[in-house]
């Protein structure tokens, strides 16, 4: 029912990034100017739905929910997270080393918004509120993967070994980052698989219905 999209910006070119430390640091590297934590920006986007019955609300979400561009289908909600990273480098003892690093993470939630009319049944409102709580919980799991990815990018860059040239260092940084984002993509896929896209967390509406993926 849910989908994530990922993106990241390297200082010199656009790449997908994620993070695990793939290299051991050299003692000549200095990290005094590296940020200890990434900057995280959280955004919310809502699409309005209307109705006075569970079936009407379900139909509205099916028609208006965010579309997965790869699969060509809509889901009730999603989280997009993007990691932007950069570093400064310098030569020392004939080798180029990273001197400072920064990462910024932008997490964007897309969720349905229902303003219950005054005459809506209390049971429907209660079911909706329960659903939205579970939906937020599920999407928060994907958000955490984005934050972890940003932290990992920061660590990967901060511990990247020096290279014989700055061009070589940039190439290694990109390769390491590109390899790691696949791990976080896989984490999101596995998370959806094990939770059945939030079903096991209660993210199903109406409660007796089957999750639409």
């Amino acid at each position: 029912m849910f989908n994530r999209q990922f993106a990241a910006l390297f200082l010199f070119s656009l790449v997908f990034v994620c993070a695990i430390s793939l290299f051991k640091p050299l003692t000549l590297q200095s990290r005094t100017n590296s940020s200890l934590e990434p900057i995280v920006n959280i955004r919310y986007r809502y699409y309005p739905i209307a109705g006075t019955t569970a079936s009407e609300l379900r139909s509205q979400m099916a028609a208006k929910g965010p579309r997965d561009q790869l699969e060509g289908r809509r889901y009730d909600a999603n989280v997009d997270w993007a990691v932007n990273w950069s570093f400064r480098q310098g030569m020392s003892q004939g080798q180029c080393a990273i001197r400072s690093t920064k990462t910024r993470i932008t997490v964007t939630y897309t969720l349905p918004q229902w303003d219950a009319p005054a005459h809506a049944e209390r049971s429907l409102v209660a079911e909706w509120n329960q659903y939205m709580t579970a939906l937020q919980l599920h999407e928060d799991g994907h958000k955490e993967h984005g934050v972890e990815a940003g932290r990992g990018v920061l660590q990967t860059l901060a511990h990247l070994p020096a290279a014989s040239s700055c061009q070589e260092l940039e190439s290694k940084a990109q390769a390491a980052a590109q390899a790691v984002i696949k791990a976080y993509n896989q984490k999101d896929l596995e998370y959806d698989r094990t939770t059945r896209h939030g079903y096991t967390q209660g993210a199903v509406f109406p409660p007796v219905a089957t999750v639409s993926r």
Side-chain angles (χ1 to χ4, degrees), residues 1 3 7 9 78 115 167:
M1 177 157 38
N3 174 53
L9 182 64
N78 74 3
D115 293 327
Q167 183 177 4

Side-chain angles (χ1 to χ4, degrees), residues 71-128:
E71 297 183 14
R73 59 183 299 181
R74 294 183 183 274
Y75 303 107
D76 290 359
N78 74 3
V79 162
D80 297 333
W81 54 261
V83 178
N84 294 275
W85 53 278
S86 62
F87 62 83
R88 293 176 182 244
Q89 57 200 6
M91 295 296 294
S92 176
Q93 302 177 19
Q95 290 190 302
C96 186
I98 292 176
R99 298 307 184 192
S100 64
T101 62
K102 291 182 180 180
T103 60
R104 181 185 296 271
I105 306 158
T106 301
V107 179
T108 303
Y109 290 82
T110 301
L111 299 166
Q113 185 174 50
W114 177 51
D115 293 327
H119 60 280
E121 294 185 6
R122 291 185 178 181
S123 59
L124 179 62
V125 174
E127 287 177 354
W128 178 260

Side-chain angles (χ1 to χ4, degrees), residues 17-206:
V17 301
C18 218
I20 54 175
S21 183
L22 301 180
F23 305 101
K24 294 182 179 180
L26 298 181
T27 56
L28 63 85
Q29 291 173 288
S30 172
R31 298 292 181 264
T32 57
N33 295 324
S34 294
S35 301
L36 297 179
E37 284 290 322
I39 299 170
V40 181
N41 296 321
I42 306 294
R43 302 174 181 174
Y44 282 86
R45 295 187 301 194
Y46 297 94
Y47 63 95
I49 62 172
T52 57
T53 66
S55 61
E56 288 175 341
L57 298 181
R58 164 51 52 205
S59 295
Q60 288 272 296
M61 287 188 286
K64 295 183 176 182
R67 182 184 296 275
D68 185 305
Q69 298 300 323
L70 295 178
E71 297 183 14
R73 59 183 299 181
R74 294 183 183 274
Y75 303 107
D76 290 359
N78 74 3
V79 162
D80 297 333
W81 54 261
V83 178
N84 294 275
W85 53 278
S86 62
F87 62 83
R88 293 176 182 244
Q89 57 200 6
M91 295 296 294
S92 176
Q93 302 177 19
Q95 290 190 302
C96 186
I98 292 176
R99 298 307 184 192
S100 64
T101 62
K102 291 182 180 180
T103 60
R104 181 185 296 271
I105 306 158
T106 301
V107 179
T108 303
Y109 290 82
T110 301
L111 299 166
Q113 185 174 50
W114 177 51
D115 293 327
H119 60 280
E121 294 185 6
R122 291 185 178 181
S123 59
L124 179 62
V125 174
E127 287 177 354
W128 178 260
N129 290 337
Q130 181 178 356
Y131 171 64
M132 289 302 295
T133 297
L135 189 61
Q136 180 76 49
L137 174 66
H138 177 75
E139 296 301 338
D140 282 346
H142 291 294
K143 182 264 292 184
E144 286 304 314
H145 289 162
V147 174
E148 290 171 9
R151 290 195 182 108
V153 169
L154 196 64
Q155 294 172 4
T156 296
L157 295 177
H159 296 90
L160 200 66
S164 59
S165 69
C166 290
Q167 183 177 4
E168 180 185 356
L169 183 65
E170 292 165 16
S171 178
K172 287 183 176 181
Q174 290 202 46
Q178 289 172 352
V180 182
I181 199 163
K182 292 181 181 179
Y184 281 95
N185 274 322
Q186 189 59 43
K187 281 188 176 183
D188 269 316
L189 293 173
E190 182 65 15
Y191 177 60
D192 274 338
R193 188 189 69 79
T194 58
T195 65
R196 295 169 62 188
H197 295 272
Y199 186 95
T200 62
Q201 296 163 299
V204 54
F205 186 86

